[in-house]
Amino acid sequence: SRTYTGVHARGQVCHFTLPFQCDPASTLSELNSLLPSDLRLLSMSPVSPTFHAISNSTCKLYAYRISTSNSTEDPFKRLYRTRVQRDVDLEVLGEALGLFV
């Protein structure tokens, strides 16, 4: 399924058709060698000819992460969360999120 610009994705599924038979393990390695270092294929397997990554998607899960002023920022996670420089009322936030779910 597709994701939006600027959104970090995990567990993305894609499909493509090859005009020949291949060994998934060696093809996976070869494809990864062509990709930028921040993008990796984790597995590859044959699927039904009728499979389509977008139309056969069953769900999307979005996780929004917030760092607050009273937490220590993890430098490895800084690109994947928003930092809020003030206290957050988690009860009010939970009520607001309930309007979206």
Side-chain angles (χ1 to χ4, degrees):
S1 156
R2 294 170 43 185
T3 190
Y4 301 103
T5 301
V7 173
H8 299 279
R10 289 184 174 183
Q12 288 288 87
V13 174
C14 70
H15 72 274
F16 55 91
T17 303
L18 295 175
F20 53 86
Q21 295 292 321
C22 70
D23 171 49
S26 62
T27 304
L28 182 74
S29 178
E30 291 170 20
L31 289 172
N32 276 327
S33 73
L34 300 172
L35 293 172
S37 62
D38 61 344
L39 180 62
R40 282 293 167 258
L41 302 175
L42 301 179
S43 65
M44 182 174 160
S45 60
V47 296
S48 161
T50 61
F51 176 80
H52 190 281
I54 294 175
S55 59
N56 290 112
S57 175
T58 58
C59 72
K60 291 183 183 182
L61 175 65
Y62 291 91
Y64 298 91
R65 296 184 175 22
I66 300 171
S67 293
T68 60
S69 59
N70 57 4
S71 64
T72 302
E73 184 71 39
D74 182 336
F76 296 107
K77 296 179 180 176
R78 67 182 174 76
L79 298 176
Y80 309 102
R81 58 187 67 223
T82 295
R83 184 154 180 84
V84 177
Q85 296 292 340
R86 60 184 123 148
D87 291 333
V88 175
D89 187 330
L90 296 178
E91 187 174 328
V92 171
L93 180 61
E95 290 173 12
L97 289 174
L99 299 173
F100 295 97
V101 180

